[in-house]
Amino acid sequence: MRLKKLSDQRHTLAFRLTLWYATIFTVSSFLAFLIFYLTAASVVQGRTDEEITEEIAEFSHILRSEGIEALKKEVRNETEAEDTGEIFFRIFNSDGSAIIESDLSSWDPTEINETALNQLSRDGEPVFGTYHLPEKPYPVRIVYAKIGQTFVLQSGIVLDDETRIMAVFKKVFSATMIIVFFLATLIGWFMARRALSGVEEVTQTAWQISEGAFGQRVPVKNRGREIEQLAHMFNHMLDSIQKVIREMREMSDNIAHDLKSPITRIRGMAEITLTTANSLGEYEKMAANTIEESIYLLEMINTMLDISETEAGTDQPDLTRIDLAALVREVCELFEPLAERKELTLTVHAPMTLNIYGDLRKLQRLMGNLLDNAVKYTPVSGKISVSLSENETGGLILSVRDTGIGISETDLPQIFERFYRCDQSRSKTGSGLGLSLVRAIVKSHRGEIAVRSHAGHGSTVTITLPRLSTP
């Protein structure tokens, strides 16, 4: 079980972030220590070279001021003061024959480097080199330098103290790097877990929701702007999903209720006719009623499909150039007989021509639904006014005003919901889909719709459409 958990941890984002952090921090520390090590080695070597250069300057001064015998004496004094295995001096002339040399028994073989001599002859500056001699456990620093006009000094010193210092530094460096790696891993793990704690809460909330806890939300804490935005957006998404689910449930209930009524009527008429009918006319009446109810059901189902397709964008409007003023007048003429039957006054205020790019069939349904509602919910001797005009931005404003029963303030925000019907409208026939379809058509034409109404004082529906609407 522990091995499985460890294996699972290797695939987590926290583990990868920790590994990246530890690697980057360790590599950065390694580079910093490496630079420090190289700098320290360079400083130590520089100090050694300075000491040797001072010896060369001293020998040159003795040779110039006191002669060769004094120089021999000084070389003996230097070698006696030091361990002969730690330092040596050799002075030779231009033909390579040694005239002064210290005890070289522990330095065998120490040959003359022709390349160094050539460089010394060419540049005139002391030539330093670090060598690893078989008989010496530590590196040796050897220098070739001119003293006087004709002599060359070859001197070597074992870098034992310097090498031991750098070896201790390497050990400390190695131990420090191990400690740094583990500290970087712990700090990286802590930082990664802290940074991803908000993501874990989102994951945990999503898991709880998948188990049925739809009311759960991600707590918004001060863990950084990105995590807060993620939590806000996730909660907003959950609210939207919950709203959609609630609307779907309500719509399902409404569909079931609205489908149940005509189906129940069809069944009731069929049962009554089958049990009581005595003539062919009664069966014909039942068939006619059944067809009428079926037409109502089909219209309601088709309207629901039209709304869904229009809102989803799958049924894009077929845009053509339309004279909206002529369309409004034609639809009003179709409703004129219905208005006259209820003794309603239907007036139209529209210019002779007002063009728009739109879907002719959809705009006809839009206008028909608005007038159908106005005629249906306006009592006898009422008034209906339809106006079409152009606003200052070049858009079109379509307004349908009536003196009907109106809509209460509590019902007004919900009138565009599918199957929603106000209390005053339940006595009238209808499915509650008309205004939902109108809004869907307006939105598909990139327009806006607004309703102003007061119970008992009529309603005004105002639609604003862009003059030229393209997909």
Side-chain angles (χ1 to χ4, degrees), residues 328 347-351 367 385-389 397-401:
V328 169
T347 58
V348 180
H349 302 280
M367 193 64 202
S385 176
V386 179
S387 64
L388 179 65
S389 61
I397 300 176
L398 173 64
S399 177
V400 178
R401 179 180 302 173

Side-chain angles (χ1 to χ4, degrees), residues 327-328 330-332 334-335 338 360-376 398 400 434 437-438 441 463:
L327 185 148
V328 169
E330 290 172 2
V331 176
C332 288
L334 291 175
F335 278 85
L338 294 176
L360 177 61
R361 182 181 61 87
K362 291 181 181 294
L363 292 176
Q364 285 174 338
R365 294 193 68 180
L366 177 148
M367 193 64 202
N369 281 344
L370 292 179
L371 283 177
D372 182 64
N373 282 345
V375 172
K376 186 186 299 181
L398 173 64
V400 178
L437 179 60
V438 168
I441 294 173
I463 295 173

Side-chain angles (χ1 to χ4, degrees), residues 188-204:
W189 178 256
F190 172 77
M191 293 178 65
R193 295 289 294 179
R194 181 175 176 82
L196 295 174
S197 59
V199 179
E200 290 179 356
E201 289 182 349
V202 172
T203 304
Q204 185 178 4

Side-chain angles (χ1 to χ4, degrees), residues 303-347:
T303 302
M304 287 192 314
L305 291 174
D306 289 341
I307 294 172
S308 299
E309 291 174 355
T310 303
E311 289 181 344
T314 57
D315 184 17
Q316 291 291 335
D318 182 16
L319 301 179
T320 57
R321 190 177 179 88
I322 300 170
D323 184 355
L324 190 59
L327 185 148
V328 169
R329 283 192 292 269
E330 290 172 2
V331 176
C332 288
E333 289 175 3
L334 291 175
F335 278 85
E336 189 69 40
L338 294 176
E340 291 178 356
R341 198 175 303 160
K342 291 186 65 175
E343 299 179 5
L344 302 177
T345 302
L346 176 58
T347 58

Side-chain angles (χ1 to χ4, degrees), residues 5-35:
K5 288 184 177 180
L6 290 174
S7 178
D8 292 340
Q9 286 290 337
R10 290 192 304 109
H11 301 288
T12 62
L13 182 59
F15 178 83
R16 294 176 185 177
L17 289 175
T18 301
L19 188 61
W20 273 104
Y21 179 84
T23 302
I24 293 173
F25 190 81
T26 303
V27 170
S28 301
S29 301
F30 174 80
L31 293 175
F33 276 110
L34 181 62
I35 292 171

